[in-house]
Amino acid sequence: MITLDSKIPEGPLEEKWTRYKANAKLVSPANKKKLDIIVVGTGISGAPAASALGEMGYNVKVFCYQDTPRRAHSVAAQGGINAAKNYKNDGDSVYHLFYDVIKGGDFRAREANVYRIAEVSNQIIDHFTAIGVPFAREYGGTLTTRSFGGVQVSRTFYSRGQTGQQVLLGAYSSLVRQIKEGTVTMYPRREMLDLVVVDGKARGIVVRNLITGEIERHSAHAVVLATGGYGTIYYLSTLAVNSNASAAWNAYKRGAAFANPSFVQIHPSSVPQMNEFQSKLTLMSESLRNDGRVWVPKTKGDSRPPNEIPEEDRDYYLERRYPAFGNLVPRDVASRAAKERCDAGYGVGPTGLAVNLDFRDAIKKQGQKAIEEKYGNLFDMYKDITGIDSYTEPMRIYPAGHYTMGGLWVNYDLMTTIPGLFAVGESNFSDHGANRLGASSLMQGAGDGYFILPYTISNYLASEIKTPRINTDTAEFQEAETRSAEKIKRLLSIRGKQTATTFHKKLGKIMWDHCGMTRNEKGLTEAIGLIRELREEFWKDLNVPGRADELNQELEKAGRVADFLELGELMMTDALNRRESCGAHFREESQTPDHEALRNDDEYAYVAVWEYNGDEPPVLHKEELKFEFVELKQRSYK
Amino acid sequence: MNKILFSAVSKKFVMALAGLFLLLFLPVHLGINLMLLRSDPEPFNTAAHFMATFPLVKVVEILLILAIMTHITYGLIIQVHNWLSRPVRYAVRNKSDTSAFSRFMIWTGGSVLIFLVIHFFNFYFIKLGIVEGDPENFYAIAYQLFAVRGYAILYWVCFLILGFHLYHALQSAFQTLGWSNEFWKPVIRVISLIYSIVIPMGFAIIPLIIRFFK
Amino acid sequence: MKLKLKIWKQGDAHSRGSFVTYDLDGVAPEMSFIEMLTYLNETLIGKGEEPVTFEHDCHEGICGSCGMYINGYPHGPVKGLTTCLLSMRNFKDGETIVIEPWRAKPFPVIKDLMVDRNALDKIQQAGGFISVTTGAAPEANTIPVNKKNSDLAFDASVCIGCGACVAACKNASAMLFVSAKISQYALLPQGRPEGKERVRAMIAEMDRQGFGSCSNTGACEAQCPKQIKLFNIARLNREYYKAF
């Protein structure tokens, strides 16, 4: 039975992190060399963590499933990275950034953690600039910012629409520098299959070499998971198709508790699904809503081409419902509104599952050139994918699964409920509450990796300096390896009729229909049954060709889907438990008379933390969220 | 040291320098050749004599020979290395857009080399005394050669090929030496085009006039 | 749409490969090239045949995983696109499409259309970084950077490391890749202190990996999905000469 101790330092909000650092234990340089750390994942939290720990002198081993760390999906983040620099002199401060993240997360995140990430945000910008990330600049040569995600200040640093790529490649460059120095050893094309726990502490991992199929054992004094989110559980999402939950999920099964698994952000603007073969919903940046107007026809099934529908027959539903914020309402609100219209039968496009994002008025007002300058690359990408020219015809968009706020539960040290197992970036649950604010994911990932974990992991490792290098030739490693090998053997032995992708699509549909933008008790209960049936079918009728001891992409997919099939049920269970609407989690039973989300702070101001319990239902633990420094308010965009 | 002299960039640097030096020599050679168009053989023969005997020209001549040797040797080394860089070739021909003629530099260069060897036998080796002939009357030798139709055609074809070679060579040399950016690139292209048309045309026009207008 | 696909199949790095022809019916024009191949694989698995191995991940042209040589073009016939963004609208019904892996000595085939591009990591590892330790950075606005240079640095830094430049080059040269990284750092004051060591180390590593020389043909620029410009190579050359 786990006990939750969030280990938040005493004292005023703005002194907590300073006090923590002052009291954290240190490890001498001579001892650092003797300590091994495993980092799984090389995105915007893993690469910073690994390089920072390598610079400190630890012996770091890094793993990723891609051929090179530079391909982690953080590379696809578009908008930017927040920091409280106040370069625009618009009154920004660490406190304002903290408050916006807490409020954006609908008051379901831990105050101390959020304040800390806001505190280190400025250092992140300094560091990225120093290692050569080309952020956008003013003519005077200083850095510039833009406003993003519906906040009142301009605090988002960016590199055109490719900020994620630029900061990830920056982090990658510091990672390869450490690989050259010899402090970091890189293990690409490895997929983590299991976590090894020895005497209650995380001591290593078991991975599959994706080229040879060999199962390898790797040991360390501490293990860091930087494995990202699980949005691909919906099959169609804005994530890379190989992103998966397996590392985090298997850590959960070894005893790391999972927090708020049902908190998933659905991004309102992605290219809609066009056919059943589609594998991905490409994101169209949130910034488009600055100039585009969202509408659907006023009459159901109006099949006229969009340009022939006159003004009086158009329903600009966001402007109608939310006169104050209009098209700029937060992501979760915009997503739900689109779904509501489409479910009511007003959707456009061949599937009826899309709404128009129209630039006609903006082009009329500002000229095509101005629009081209702002969004040219997005319009081009949209045309490449759909063949539609958005300068003359509205874009069609639809919401898509994007970011998972839920993840492994961590305390203030970023340590999970397994001692020695840390989780950083999107893989943990800590900072975004029930909804993530735009441009905060890069901030949190990089902040965790560069400026928080190095302190907290040293604090832990200071008590491990007497532990000799961990031997992999032990019963615990053997057990983990056997477990993994047996799962692979089982997947390969079914030889049924349906491919892993088929099951993934079926699971995705269940998740999307019942645990997507809106949820209700009946749907969730039903969906749990559906997932169980699907899981049974999976283990009876899966078809994985090939062998275990070779490069086998179908086997990789099957292993990931097997884990998703279990995670899906936990997400449903969590969504069912939370009978309130907060952030991205919208329970139909909990809404205001005019259909807006209704939070229930009296009963649900807690983090739902789930402990694995074998074949029995998972055990719910609650971490009460105490708001000592901010006042809880209901969000309103009317 | 080897790594520096024979790095992928240095090899091209040496080639470009040697090539540019040869490009400087071509207008001088053309200037002298144009004297062939005069009916009086004296100016041409005097110039040829001057080129053969003046001590400073001697130094330049050695440099020229060195430049040719270097250009060829490095060209071959680079080419062999380049071929080895793709041991398994594509089944479908590469259709990527490339600047015209750049793919065939080794072949156009080779053709020019063959002409150069013939040219050496006809003139330069006579001067050196390796091949028999009158080094004081190149004017007459030139007229005799141009009178042969086959030789004249070979001459024209070779200068056409040289033009192709030069058009890419000049742009490439600027790029290799690092003298190119967004602004200068189109300018360099025009300069290369003019040079690669004017110089080979200048040479090619001589047998044309001699054969048809004299 | 109905297609005839001629695809390179090779068991592993050591075995001999050959082309295998597949007839594929039911291709939708709005599929991406990757989705078309996934669809092919689903049909192959259904028939009990071995699927085709190829790499892809983000499906939005930014991770650099995908890449194949399609009918004589790296990433296919449309400029400025990765394979994952290449739509099947660009092909005709009944067309034969020949798909080959990237071919270069430093890119050995791992299986079918998947090649090992680790050589590019090795080049970056040799010097493609600015040696600033975490925590040592000065305040970001301490060093002003000329906006034009900053924009040019960005234009170079958008390289996704897919290797199309190498695949397109007749010499399998990696100069465009290297020049993108060198340019990014050469244009920023932060990159200057170790500029000389960087360019020497990266060029030496490029040679060690067995890439060819640059013939300035421009095939790399034409095929680069991120449209990185050739004059970055001129800048690389300049930086290299200055390094001695």
Side-chain angles (χ1 to χ4, degrees):
Chain A
M1 198 67 171
I2 56 164
T3 45
L4 299 178
D5 179 3
S6 54
K7 291 200 172 165
I8 296 167
E10 291 300 315
L13 194 56
E14 56 275 14
E15 277 176 35
K16 286 182 193 289
W17 181 231
T18 314
R19 283 193 193 183
Y20 180 94
K21 286 192 284 186
N23 295 321
K25 282 176 253 160
L26 303 173
V27 180
S28 77
N31 283 329
K32 279 188 188 132
K33 271 185 234 155
K34 294 184 211 152
L35 292 166
D36 301 332
I37 301 174
I38 282 174
V39 178
V40 188
T42 58
I44 202 56
S45 61
S51 58
L53 295 170
E55 286 161 11
M56 290 163 82
Y58 288 112
N59 186 28
V60 185
K61 304 175 197 179
V62 189
F63 297 80
C64 68
Y65 72 72
Q66 298 90 344
D67 62 329
T68 153
R70 67 180 294 156
R71 309 212 196 282
H73 195 59
S74 307
V75 82
Q78 296 175 350
I81 175 165
N82 285 334
K85 284 281 194 188
N86 193 27
Y87 282 165
K88 286 274 163 84
N89 197 27
D90 50 9
D92 199 10
S93 66
V94 168
Y95 184 85
H96 281 103
L97 174 53
F98 150 76
Y99 185 76
D100 284 339
V101 174
I102 279 278
K103 182 189 166 208
D106 220 359
F107 304 95
R108 289 295 174 266
R110 213 186 266 153
E111 276 183 331
N113 284 54
V114 177
Y115 194 86
R116 178 175 63 181
I117 203 73
E119 232 178 319
V120 302
S121 67
N122 292 344
Q123 274 177 283
I124 300 169
I125 300 302
D126 295 342
H127 184 68
F128 278 138
T129 304
I131 60 171
V133 172
F135 287 127
R137 285 178 186 268
E138 306 278 0
Y139 280 100
T142 54
L143 294 172
T144 189
T145 52
R146 62 179 165 202
S147 80
F148 202 80
V151 294
Q152 289 158 304
V153 291
S154 170
R155 64 159 77 98
T156 305
F157 294 80
Y158 65 98
S159 299
R160 254 167 256 173
Q162 280 152 264
T163 320
Q165 183 201 24
Q166 293 308 310
V167 295
L168 182 75
L169 293 185
Y172 162 72
S173 73
S174 28
L175 180 64
V176 294
R177 174 173 160 239
Q178 290 314 304
I179 296 174
K180 187 186 184 189
E181 295 278 322
T183 57
V184 173
T185 314
M186 186 68 222
Y187 296 88
R189 297 199 194 269
R190 304 293 203 290
E191 180 140 72
M192 176 175 157
L193 299 176
D194 213 341
L195 178 78
V196 181
V197 182
V198 181
D199 298 331
K201 287 178 177 170
R203 290 301 194 198
I205 58 172
V206 166
V207 299
R208 180 165 182 270
N209 180 324
L210 299 181
I211 301 297
T212 63
E214 196 188 335
I215 294 181
E216 304 171 351
R217 306 172 181 189
H218 296 275
S219 71
H221 294 85
V223 177
V224 180
L225 295 188
T227 51
Y230 44 89
T232 33
I233 195 165
Y234 293 99
Y235 186 67
L236 287 169
S237 75
T238 65
L239 270 69
V241 293
N242 295 311
S243 301
N244 66 82
S246 291
W249 186 249
N250 285 292
Y252 164 75
K253 285 167 93 173
R254 298 284 82 73
F258 214 110
N260 298 334
S262 69
F263 285 178
V264 182
Q265 181 171 75
I266 310 291
H267 198 288
S269 50
S270 86
V271 181
Q273 188 177 7
M274 289 176 286
N275 62 53
E276 57 175 309
F277 310 110
Q278 199 161 326
S279 53
K280 159 84 188 219
L281 297 172
T282 301
L283 189 71
M284 288 285 120
S285 172
E286 186 167 355
S287 60
L288 289 170
R289 283 193 283 138
N290 286 326
D291 286 301
R293 294 178 73 193
V294 181
W295 65 274
V296 291
K298 271 187 184 160
T299 13
K300 268 187 211 183
D302 190 336
S303 58
R304 284 176 289 177
N307 284 339
E308 287 171 26
I309 298 179
E311 197 64 19
E312 61 271 19
D313 291 346
R314 298 177 173 199
D315 176 16
Y316 294 94
Y317 60 89
L318 284 178
E319 294 167 28
R320 168 170 60 80
R321 276 179 74 175
Y322 308 101
F325 277 69
N327 294 300
L328 293 173
V329 291
R331 291 175 180 178
D332 52 336
V333 178
S335 294
R336 277 196 295 275
K339 178 180 158 56
E340 188 274 328
R341 281 294 83 188
C342 293
D343 287 354
Y346 296 92
V348 299
T351 55
L353 286 176
V355 297
N356 291 318
L357 179 62
D358 201 337
F359 295 87
R360 186 193 63 182
D361 296 348
I363 290 173
K364 219 182 274 172
K365 215 164 155 191
Q366 308 168 32
Q368 176 157 339
K369 196 148 180 275
I371 298 299
E372 215 174 295
E373 262 167 35
K374 279 192 239 182
Y375 313 113
N377 62 335
L378 292 166
F379 279 45
D380 289 347
M381 181 151 83
Y382 184 79
K383 195 176 176 190
D384 290 334
I385 297 170
T386 62
I388 294 171
D389 177 13
S390 318
Y391 294 108
T392 56
E393 205 180 307
M395 231 176 227
R396 281 202 287 262
I397 53 165
Y398 198 67
H402 182 53
Y403 184 94
T404 50
M405 283 73 70
L408 293 174
W409 183 88
V410 290
N411 60 20
Y412 193 74
D413 287 345
L414 299 181
M415 189 151 86
T416 66
T417 50
I418 301 176
L421 179 70
F422 294 79
V424 291
E426 192 179 346
S427 71
N428 74 28
F429 87 106
S430 75
D431 295 353
H432 305 299
N435 180 45
R436 180 177 64 76
L437 219 55
S440 305
S441 56
L442 295 176
M443 169 181 77
Q444 185 231 340
D448 281 2
Y450 276 128
F451 298 108
I452 299 172
L453 182 76
Y455 287 98
T456 62
I457 204 169
S458 292
N459 191 38
Y460 170 79
L461 288 172
S463 54
E464 292 288 334
I465 51 174
K466 294 208 177 74
T467 314
R469 202 136 270 168
I470 313 295
N471 183 6
T472 57
D473 224 3
T474 61
E476 289 89 350
F477 275 92
Q478 181 59 51
E479 197 190 316
E481 187 182 320
T482 312
R483 205 165 34 227
S484 301
E486 263 171 13
K487 183 174 165 191
I488 289 171
K489 212 168 125 192
R490 218 178 129 201
L491 289 167
L492 281 164
S493 65
I494 307 167
R495 302 279 168 188
K497 290 230 161 16
Q498 302 178 64
T499 61
T501 307
T502 313
F503 283 105
H504 198 169
K505 282 181 186 171
K506 286 183 180 174
L507 172 67
K509 185 156 174 21
I510 298 174
M511 297 305 298
W512 184 250
D513 288 347
H514 302 288
C515 199
M517 283 177 278
T518 64
R519 295 112 188 237
N520 61 54
E521 183 159 350
K522 185 168 162 283
L524 289 164
T525 321
E526 237 176 66
I528 290 177
L530 289 174
I531 289 184
R532 286 184 185 157
E533 277 168 34
L534 187 64
R535 201 159 56 215
E536 212 165 292
E537 195 185 332
F538 175 86
W539 288 108
K540 271 188 196 141
D541 197 30
L542 175 71
N543 181 9
V544 183
R547 303 191 313 266
D549 61 348
E550 61 175 4
L551 173 62
N552 188 339
Q553 293 176 322
E554 284 302 309
L555 178 62
E556 294 165 27
K557 283 187 216 166
R560 293 165 190 161
V561 174
D563 291 330
F564 278 140
L565 280 164
E566 295 173 3
L567 169 61
E569 186 175 334
L570 185 70
M571 287 170 68
M572 299 282 182
T573 310
D574 183 53
L576 198 57
N577 169 64
R578 193 172 286 274
R579 289 183 60 94
E580 65 157 350
S581 297
C582 62
H585 172 69
F586 188 85
R587 277 290 295 265
E588 285 165 11
E589 297 89 338
S590 178
Q591 48 182 312
T592 61
D594 49 356
H595 310 296
E596 300 303 329
L598 182 65
R599 227 174 47 219
N600 180 349
D601 291 330
D602 295 338
E603 288 178 77
Y604 293 100
Y606 65 76
V607 180
V609 188
W610 300 91
E611 184 189 3
Y612 181 68
N613 194 21
D615 291 335
E616 299 298 307
V619 183
L620 173 65
H621 302 264
K622 295 176 183 174
E623 181 199 342
E624 295 300 331
L625 290 168
K626 290 183 217 73
F627 291 92
E628 299 171 58
F629 306 94
V630 297
E631 188 195 337
L632 274 73
K633 280 185 184 152
Q634 195 80 28
R635 295 189 305 165
S636 171
Y637 299 95
K638 291 273 177 195
Chain B
M1 199 57 204
N2 246 358
K3 265 186 204 148
I4 294 165
L5 266 182
F6 288 93
S7 81
V9 179
S10 316
K11 280 186 288 192
K12 290 290 293 186
F13 179 76
V14 173
M15 265 210 83
L17 273 191
L20 277 186
F21 188 64
L22 297 174
L23 292 188
L24 286 178
F25 171 69
L26 276 182
V28 178
H29 195 318
L30 176 60
I32 294 170
N33 279 20
L34 284 173
M35 294 179 192
L36 279 172
L37 294 178
R38 299 177 64 166
S39 312
D40 179 7
E42 226 14 66
F44 178 80
N45 281 339
T46 312
H49 178 79
F50 171 80
M51 293 301 279
T53 50
F54 191 68
L56 195 67
V57 177
K58 247 344 204 197
V59 178
V60 177
E61 186 184 306
I62 292 167
L63 284 177
L64 271 176
I65 296 292
L66 274 175
I68 291 173
M69 302 295 278
T70 314
H71 194 73
I72 293 168
T73 318
Y74 267 70
L76 285 173
I77 294 173
I78 292 172
Q79 189 59 57
V80 170
H81 177 70
N82 286 349
W83 278 329
L84 290 176
S85 300
R86 178 164 290 136
V88 185
R89 314 201 72 78
Y90 290 115
V92 179
R93 188 181 61 84
N94 192 332
K95 293 179 204 146
S96 311
D97 265 2
T98 53
S99 73
F101 314 123
S102 63
R103 290 162 166 251
F104 315 110
M105 290 304 274
I106 189 71
W107 308 116
T108 51
S111 311
V112 172
L113 176 63
I114 292 169
F115 175 76
L116 205 61
V117 172
I118 298 170
H119 186 64
F120 275 11
F121 271 96
N122 289 339
F123 295 95
Y124 188 60
F125 290 164
I126 292 178
K127 194 195 87 180
L128 293 185
I130 303 171
V131 176
E132 236 170 87
D134 180 5
E136 292 304 321
N137 198 357
F138 281 167
Y139 186 90
I141 300 177
Y143 268 73
Q144 280 164 20
L145 284 170
F146 288 148
V148 182
R149 189 160 53 160
Y151 184 84
I153 292 172
L154 177 78
Y155 194 83
W156 287 325
V157 170
C158 281
F159 275 97
L160 183 71
I161 292 174
L162 179 67
F164 294 160
H165 193 77
L166 292 181
Y167 176 60
H168 178 69
L170 200 56
Q171 294 181 63
S172 181
F174 276 101
Q175 169 85 359
T176 300
L177 294 177
W179 300 331
S180 176
N181 60 28
E182 207 167 3
F183 177 75
W184 284 108
K185 210 177 151 187
V187 180
I188 292 166
R189 175 170 300 193
V190 172
I191 294 173
S192 306
L193 189 67
I194 294 171
Y195 185 95
S196 60
I197 291 175
V198 169
I199 300 289
M201 279 284 281
F203 280 101
I205 213 161
I206 295 166
L208 199 75
I209 293 175
I210 289 175
R211 283 182 64 89
F212 295 108
F213 299 101
K214 285 207 164 198
Chain C
M1 279 167 83
K2 205 171 166 175
L3 295 172
K4 192 182 275 293
L5 302 168
K6 222 178 129 187
I7 300 177
W8 183 260
K9 290 281 293 171
Q10 181 172 339
D12 56 47
H14 311 294
S15 54
R16 278 175 63 95
S18 62
F19 282 101
V20 176
T21 308
Y22 303 98
D23 286 302
L24 188 63
D25 204 352
V27 175
E30 62 266 32
M31 282 181 182
S32 73
F33 203 85
I34 296 289
E35 280 157 9
M36 181 276 291
L37 285 177
T38 311
Y39 169 58
L40 168 73
N41 276 351
E42 291 288 302
T43 31
L44 289 178
I45 296 166
K47 285 192 279 184
E49 290 178 44
E50 200 203 9
V52 179
T53 300
F54 59 96
E55 284 191 278
H56 60 105
D57 204 6
C58 78
H59 291 209
E60 46 187 290
I62 196 79
C63 75
S65 295
C66 66
M68 43 196 86
Y69 186 85
I70 303 161
N71 280 350
Y73 298 97
H75 286 309
V78 184
K79 281 192 183 183
L81 291 186
T82 53
T83 306
C84 64
L85 286 180
L86 176 67
S87 156
M88 292 313 291
R89 271 189 302 274
N90 298 296
F91 298 88
K92 289 188 293 287
D93 189 23
E95 193 171 340
T96 301
I97 306 177
V98 185
I99 312 170
E100 301 173 66
W102 284 174
R103 296 287 191 197
K105 188 174 153 219
F107 289 173
V109 172
I110 294 174
K111 192 173 181 180
D112 301 347
L113 301 172
M114 186 196 260
V115 298
D116 186 354
R117 287 170 285 192
N118 189 248
L120 298 181
D121 286 295
K122 286 276 157 53
I123 296 175
Q124 175 127 9
Q125 202 175 302
F129 48 77
I130 292 174
S131 301
V132 173
T133 300
T134 311
E139 209 286 330
N141 267 346
T142 313
I143 312 164
V145 181
N146 174 282
K147 181 167 164 51
K148 196 179 152 225
N149 284 347
S150 172
D151 287 349
L152 283 172
F154 173 81
D155 289 341
S157 70
V158 297
C159 168
I160 56 173
C162 64
C165 47
V166 177
C169 177
K170 70 180 178 71
N171 311 331
S173 167
M175 284 287 275
L176 193 67
F177 170 81
V178 180
S179 75
K181 204 79 261 178
I182 292 292
S183 284
Q184 179 192 349
Y185 292 141
L187 285 158
L188 298 171
Q190 301 94 302
R192 301 294 341 171
E194 52 193 331
K196 292 183 176 181
E197 292 78 6
R198 175 181 306 118
V199 67
R200 287 163 65 164
M202 287 179 78
I203 291 293
E205 187 60 36
M206 180 184 87
D207 285 339
R208 198 170 303 129
Q209 294 294 332
F211 292 99
S213 286
C214 175
S215 289
N216 304 320
T217 71
C220 52
E221 182 186 57
Q223 293 310 126
C224 174
K226 293 291 147 185
Q227 300 183 308
I228 291 171
K229 295 282 175 255
L230 211 54
F231 57 73
N232 286 304
I233 296 182
R235 187 181 292 106
L236 162 64
N237 291 335
R238 257 190 330 265
E239 293 296 318
Y240 188 70
Y241 308 139
K242 281 195 282 182
F244 296 100

